[in-house]
Amino acid sequence: MSILIATQFTPAEWAQWEPALRQALPHETLLTAWPVAEPDAVDIAIVANPPAGSLRGLNRLRLIQSLWAGVDKLLADPGLPAGVPLARMVDPAMNEAMAETALWAVLSLHRGFFAYAKQQREGQWRQRAQRRADEVRVLVLGLGQMGRTVAERLARNGYAVSGWSTREARLHGVATQAGDAALPAMLAKAEIVVNLLPLTPSTAGIFNAQTFSQLRHGASLVNLARGAHVVEADLLVALDSGQVGHAVLDVFQVEPLPADHPLWRHPSVTVLPHVAALTDPRSAAEVVSRNVQAVRQGLLPEHQVDRARGY
Ligand code: NAP
Ligand code: GLV
């Protein structure tokens, strides 16, 4: 049986992935073009944002392995074969990268480094008050692979961290709460909100005029999850009024962020080009290999997506 690799990698990205995948799967036949000539010879698909419908007609699939952590786009594809185990990328190297990005953002907000960068552009010498990390309340939304690592890293760096999820979670040094009813009070206390929720029907647009109004005046948003979590028009209003003091945004409704989008030039926004935690082909290929071997041995793959929950 063969493995179909369905991605929209650029040649430069493929040049990194191909050797990593071939090294991790030395005995497998890897197909990189589709539709495939013999669909019934394909039992595993390795995917990274493939065009919708790419896996249609692959009736012998036993595993769909995503190279991305988030599977929202994949689940939105009506051509995604039903009933096939879908595994997402879970790699400690990615969690670590996400923790680095979140720590940089929180530290920069806490110590005013974004404001100092603006002062430099304006040639302004002005010292701001220096606060201790334990005086800064950070709320992490989503306590899964990324959120947990981020919340615990921030707590280890001395921040007063709380965390929110669907089900009760226990994390070292983090005050956790679960369920929709808990959110407004948590937002009201937070000075910095870090979003690490998956994009599902219940989390789409979760940052909107109402939730922004529940924040403390001047609180900051760090969105490292998905662009569709934020109603961008509402965010711009909240930034203009100062209700949201600063936004660090790695993800957007439309990516790449269109050149004329007001978020590019807003003085209270820091833009990253979806790089908070890139998949590292070296470690990710090993994760893929373990799941391929499991399936070949008749075992279940790890990190299966619960299609009903959407993550
Ligand atoms: P994950 O392991 O699936 O964790 C999701 C967390 O969110 C869980 O704690 C879950 O609660 C919680 N959650 C889900 N729906 C919720 C709701 N309605 N209310 C409250 N909590 C809810 O996800 P992950 O791997 O950490 O990924 C987090 C996000 O990062 C995703 O959006 C992913 O797409 C994104 N991401 C971004 C980048 C980047 O470079 N920017 C890279 C990788 C991933 P339970 O624990 O109770 O289920
Ligand atoms: C990146 O955003 C991912 O989901 O891996």
Side-chain angles (χ1 to χ4, degrees), residues 4 8 16 33 35 41 43 46 49-50 52 60-61 97 114 117 132 139 156 166 181 187 208 236 264 281 287 289 309:
L4 171 66
Q8 297 197 68
Q16 286 193 311
D43 68 341
I46 297 174
N49 284 350
R60 306 279 301 273
L61 279 184
F114 296 126
R132 294 194 319 250
L139 169 61
R156 277 209 302 283
T166 313
L187 288 172
N208 54 44
L236 283 161
W264 272 118
V287 175
S289 165
R309 280 184 174 270

Side-chain angles (χ1 to χ4, degrees), residues 88 143-146 166-167 196-198 224 226 250 277 311:
R88 68 194 191 91
L143 299 173
Q145 292 293 326
M146 310 265 163
T166 313
R167 295 163 279 199
L196 284 164
L197 290 165
L224 307 176
R226 284 293 183 261
D250 181 55
Y311 62 97

